[in-house]
Amino acid sequence: MAAVTGPVLQGVGKTILVLSGKGGVGKSTATVQIAATLRGKGYRVGILDVDLCGPSIPRMVGVEGKDVLTTPEGNWVPVYADNEKRLSIISIAFFLDSKTDAVIWRGPKKNAMIKQLLTSVAWDVDYLIVDTPPGTSDEHISVMENIKSAPVMGAVLVTTPQMVAVDDVNRELTFCKRTGINVLGIIENMSGFVCPSCSECSNILATGGGEQLAAKAKVSFLGRVPIDPNLVRCTEEGKNFLDMFAGSPVSEVYHNIIYQLVGENQEEMEVEN
Amino acid sequence: MSSVPQDAPEHCPGTNSEDAGKASACAGCPNQQVCASGATKAPDPDLGAVKERLDTIKYKILVLSGKGGVGKSTVSAMLARALALDETKEVGILDIDICGPSQPRVLGAEEEKVHSSGAGWSPVYISENLAVMSIGFLLNSADDAVIWRGPKKNGMIKQFLRDVDWDSLDYLVVDTPPGTSDEHLSIVQYLSASPPVAAVIVTTPQEVALLDVRKEITFCRKVNIPIIGIIENMTTFVCPKCKTETAIFPATTGGGTQLAAESGLPLLGQLPLDPRIARACDHGQNFLTEEPDAPATLGYKEIAKKIIEYCQSLS
């Protein structure tokens, strides 16, 4: 890999970062749902997976094992996840030989890879959703440093309701403040599980932690997403949850989140035109 | 495993690598000559001090998972607590999740601070025979973010290993962040100097988690850390009202059982998703003594027993 100096995120309209200090709160799932919801509204959407040690996006959108093509200029062509070519993906998983391959890299190598991911992809999208690994370290600092010149809307923070997770997300908020990134709001994920047999709602990981954090930090609370085994199954099998369970509470919450993030949808604008 | 300076050029081979000063990335680096001279290749002068400290610890157990949020910190804390049920054993927990330390809250020691003495940093004691060290104790407030790149995190881990005065332990349980990067390479590098070291792998049943966990197993094999076995966490959820079991994170590809089989590792246990555990962790309570009859408690005790057996089989 040669030194990369190209422009950052060319061909991208607006960028949304999905962050969380904590792992396993559903950053990748939220990334996919945000992207799918935007796509459903008629936008062309890209997902950039900068989780180098644990890339999950290709599996979740059903493009595991695909190869990345290269343009004549040497840029990577993102992998399309749909026939309409409105959802495209770049992840390090596409460059690994097998799914057991581990990326055992220290910081500087990860930074070089991230720089390349930010500058060498031939995007053609309205929105780019960037999925990040947990923490506030190399990957995050590198993304923030390099993304400054690109049109970034801001960051969506994902948490689960329990305090142990909220602690870490609180740290991520401090990170956003210190690096000057706009916080678009907080999503509380895995909030409540409705028993399929008796409809009793259990707050497995407590409830309300995300909303309290949003109030305390004076940022928008975007929504509370319940646990839905159908969603887990869809992300496992790489199926589009939004198409299969359009009327589910989870889909509604995401529609509402997207409404708060981008306002009017494109179809309505097209009617006006 | 080499030390790459924070401001190193991209693809720096590391100052103590064979290629130091000779790789193509070294061209133009102001330190190229120093590196090429071989002076940087001498072993880390602190390695001896770290080894001396670690030699007072009998067994070192790494709790690893490629994936975040599968319950590494919960499992670390519960295992340490289960090991500490034997009052004749001294147990320590070292939290090397520098950016997201959870142990202070999970163990109910959020307000504690670390004291230093001539012998080093004193860990925080949760009970007579259970001590913990975490970067969480060194932060000024709960909002504080540790925005550090790799080398600084590595320095912190080295300092933990060199300076914490554990005062001889039977078991040191090391809670790690997700991934296969700086923290993992550093801890393995230092612990390997003072065997025995072994790893416990934590996963949840769904394939999206297994994907990352397979990478962690590859990591362990590459760095020669033996794996005691796999723990599958959050296997099923039992509705507190009607007792119906639901697999919230379904094992669409066979879960931990299949992973254990395909990687030739023992499955140490399957732990249920119990809301009382999340609550106990949020409030720093000892779930094992609060709910002595819960299936999860029995599961943890069984797993601890297997780990003790593994450790005893080594000596």
Side-chain angles (χ1 to χ4, degrees), chain A residues 104-110, chain B residues 1-2 154 181-182 185-186 189:
Chain A
I104 307 171
W105 291 353
R106 289 192 183 264
K109 221 166 162 186
K110 291 197 286 191
Chain B
M1 273 168 289
S2 54
N154 302 335
S181 191
D182 286 285
L185 286 167
S186 295
Q189 181 184 5

Side-chain angles (χ1 to χ4, degrees), chain A residues 56 61 114 122 125 155 167 185 233:
Chain A
S56 315
V61 296
I114 285 176
V125 293
D167 284 348
R233 196 152 277 140

Side-chain angles (χ1 to χ4, degrees), chain A residues 100 105 110 137 167 174 236, chain B residues 105 143 148 153 181 207 252:
Chain A
T100 54
W105 291 353
K110 291 197 286 191
S137 192
D167 284 348
T174 307
E236 282 282 280
Chain B
R105 183 182 282 272
D143 300 345
W148 290 355
K153 293 193 286 192
S181 191
E207 175 62 22
T252 53

